[in-house]
Amino acid sequence: MRPSQALRLWQQVMLSQVRDDAPDLTMRQTAILFTIYLDPPPHTVRGLAARLNVTKPVITRALDTMGALKLVSRHRDELDKRNVLIRRTVEGALFVERFGDGIIAKAHELPI
Amino acid sequence: MRPSQALRLWQQVMLSQVRDDAPDLTMRQTAILFTIYLDPPPHTVRGLAARLNVTKPVITRALDTMGALKLVSRHRDELDKRNVLIRRTVEGALFVERFGDGIIAKAHELPI
DNA sequence: GCAAATTGTTTCGGTTCCGTTTCAGTTTCT
DNA sequence: AGAAACTGAAACGGAACCGAAACAATTTGC
């Protein structure tokens, strides 16, 4: 794949995200969501903040909004009750899966 | 390419965007920028609004912020002075080009 | 046992973005 | 020439987000 094709693909996926009427996640929210679903658990606020190089409140707030959208869920760590463990949800898994399928679909439509 | 690989690639690019300290563009701003640089000109506010399925003020404001970042520039259409033509800039072209190279670089780092 | 450190959340003031509406400038049509 | 249509920008109130700092709950270290 060449850079020009990659850019075209990126544009198409971005456009499909913007065009549909679902509330689009911010760049940070998307990065957090994908990290939760692609990196091995467990995921904590602190861990995600370090991985993304952002402050902890950023993670907390992103989890608030994505939690309201049922894309992730939070649970206290019973072994160390300071920790909050972030878990995947069925809805979130579906969202991410569809996103991946969307990329592939756009890739197939790409001009040579 | 499989969906899981596409997702992993998307995550890596997203992470690199979030991690660096440059102010990240919103999803809409990115879609607008890429459309300006990948679709053939001329580009107008009205045309971009239709292409992205958003209202005109969204485009106007995105052009304000991206104009301040020197990623795009605006010029009155001399033939129809109601129109504003959006033009590419050297800085914007560089930004988009680097983004494309970044995708390719991340793609090469991808696990099988 | 108790101070210090760690974790996630909340609060604060400020910024940015949003949709809707309104507006000024330009063109078109009769 | 004058009304109507069109284009982009500005004004407005509301919502979301930001970083920094303060906070409560829990664990660690001495």
Side-chain angles (χ1 to χ4, degrees), chain A residues 1-3 7-8 10-11 13-15 19 25 27 30 35 38-39 51 53 96 99-101 103-104, chain B residues 1 3 7-8 10-11 13-15 19 25 27 30 35 38-39 51 53 96 99-101 103-104:
Chain A
M1 188 162 57
R2 284 173 291 108
L7 285 170
R8 180 67 65 178
W10 212 269
Q11 180 205 16
V13 175
M14 213 61 106
L15 278 178
R19 291 180 66 98
L25 301 177
M27 202 81 80
T30 310
T35 298
L38 296 179
D39 286 5
R51 181 111 166 86
N53 193 31
V96 173
F99 199 105
D101 291 344
I103 299 175
I104 300 302
Chain B
M1 187 162 58
L7 286 170
R8 180 68 65 179
W10 212 269
Q11 180 206 16
V13 175
M14 213 62 106
L15 278 178
R19 291 180 65 97
L25 300 177
M27 203 81 82
T30 310
T35 297
L38 296 179
D39 286 5
R51 180 110 167 88
N53 193 31
V96 174
F99 199 105
D101 292 344
I103 299 175
I104 300 302

Side-chain angles (χ1 to χ4, degrees), chain B residues 8-70:
Chain B
R8 180 68 65 179
L9 172 59
W10 212 269
Q11 180 206 16
Q12 290 303 317
V13 175
M14 213 62 106
L15 278 178
S16 69
Q17 284 286 305
V18 170
R19 291 180 65 97
D20 81 25
D21 291 332
D24 11 321
L25 300 177
T26 66
M27 203 81 82
R28 290 177 168 193
Q29 287 168 350
T30 310
I32 293 170
L33 187 70
F34 280 30
T35 297
I36 292 169
Y37 279 85
L38 296 179
D39 286 5
H43 297 288
T44 64
V45 173
R46 174 175 168 67
L48 290 171
R51 180 110 167 88
L52 276 82
N53 193 31
V54 297
T55 60
K56 287 193 293 175
V58 169
I59 305 295
T60 295
R61 284 184 290 246
L63 295 179
D64 287 343
T65 59
M66 293 196 295
L69 296 172
K70 312 240 187 216

